[in-house]
Amino acid sequence: MANAPLVVVAPCSYHDGVGEYVAAMKYQGQFAILHALVTALIERLEALEAEGIVERPQVLLPVPLHSSRLRERGFNQAWIIAKTLSQRLQIPLVDDAVMRVANTRPQAGLTGKQRRRNLEGAFTLKRHFHYQRVAIIDDVVTTGTTANALAKLFESRYIHVQVWCLARAEAPHLRD
């Protein structure tokens, strides 16, 4: 299981015009595009389910922010996306299973190597977690560093992980 590639489901490319809207959500709290992007994600998920490529998870888990970053920003865009998906798909949202225990630097602008180092030991999974299929929810996946750091926590307990995001940012220059 640990060697299997992480399944990332995204309906859009960050660099094909969606990036400015995702950034506006994350940095300015402008969620006007949220409904359209969540609808696109749901359509993508349903198509992949119909092909037998993905199986619906038991719970949705938003990527957590450190408490100081949450206070600074005032919201967690991953939680808002997860809440919207939870309501639309009738899948429970669990927002207290994973904690960000290290107040890391923002990942934007870091190389792939710096991103991996930045997130070492950043997350912890609570001891009692009884689900076997989870979807980690985030706004955008670039190098996959955050998703992989979280997935390792679950995979060490033999829990199947998918990552659902609004956009995928292809960034080959960050793979050093």
Side-chain angles (χ1 to χ4, degrees):
M1 179 185 270
N3 294 329
L6 189 57
V7 174
V8 177
V9 180
C12 307
S13 169
Y14 187 86
H15 300 295
D16 288 340
V18 175
E20 66 185 88
Y21 298 108
V22 174
M25 277 193 289
K26 184 174 198 162
Y27 300 114
Q28 299 160 1
Q30 297 178 7
F31 289 91
I33 194 75
L34 180 64
H35 178 75
L37 290 175
V38 166
T39 297
L41 176 56
I42 290 170
E43 289 173 359
R44 179 80 175 131
L45 288 164
E46 289 173 345
L48 293 171
E49 282 179 324
E51 295 291 325
I53 296 170
V54 298
E55 183 179 356
R56 217 165 265 224
Q58 296 165 300
V59 293
L60 305 179
L61 304 161
V63 171
L65 289 179
H66 190 269
S67 57
S68 62
R69 177 91 33 88
L70 183 57
R71 277 191 304 276
E72 177 184 304
R73 190 177 292 167
F75 62 91
N76 177 349
Q77 75 283 355
W79 187 91
I80 293 169
I81 295 163
K83 180 69 173 170
T84 305
L85 283 163
S86 174
Q87 291 170 338
R88 301 254 323 260
L89 294 172
Q90 299 299 301
I91 300 173
L93 166 68
V94 175
D95 59 7
D96 63 350
V98 179
M99 290 184 56
R100 191 173 210 129
V101 292
N103 188 12
T104 57
R105 296 176 16 196
Q107 295 283 83
L110 300 179
T111 66
K113 193 177 291 183
Q114 290 169 326
R115 286 171 180 240
R116 288 185 293 276
R117 202 171 302 128
N118 189 42
L119 289 182
E120 285 178 10
F123 301 103
T124 186
L125 178 60
K126 74 179 185 181
R127 181 180 304 258
H128 301 290
F129 188 81
H130 304 289
Y131 300 100
Q132 293 300 304
R133 293 185 322 278
V134 302
I136 297 167
I137 310 300
D138 208 353
D139 54 349
V140 62
V141 171
T142 305
T143 62
T145 305
T146 302
N148 280 311
L150 288 166
K152 283 181 185 178
L153 295 175
F154 293 100
E155 290 172 349
S156 69
R157 296 189 192 183
Y158 302 99
I159 297 169
H160 180 265
V161 178
Q162 300 173 40
V163 178
W164 296 358
C165 60
L166 300 180
R168 182 73 198 246
E170 304 80 7
H173 64 284
L174 294 178
R175 295 184 188 151
D176 64 342

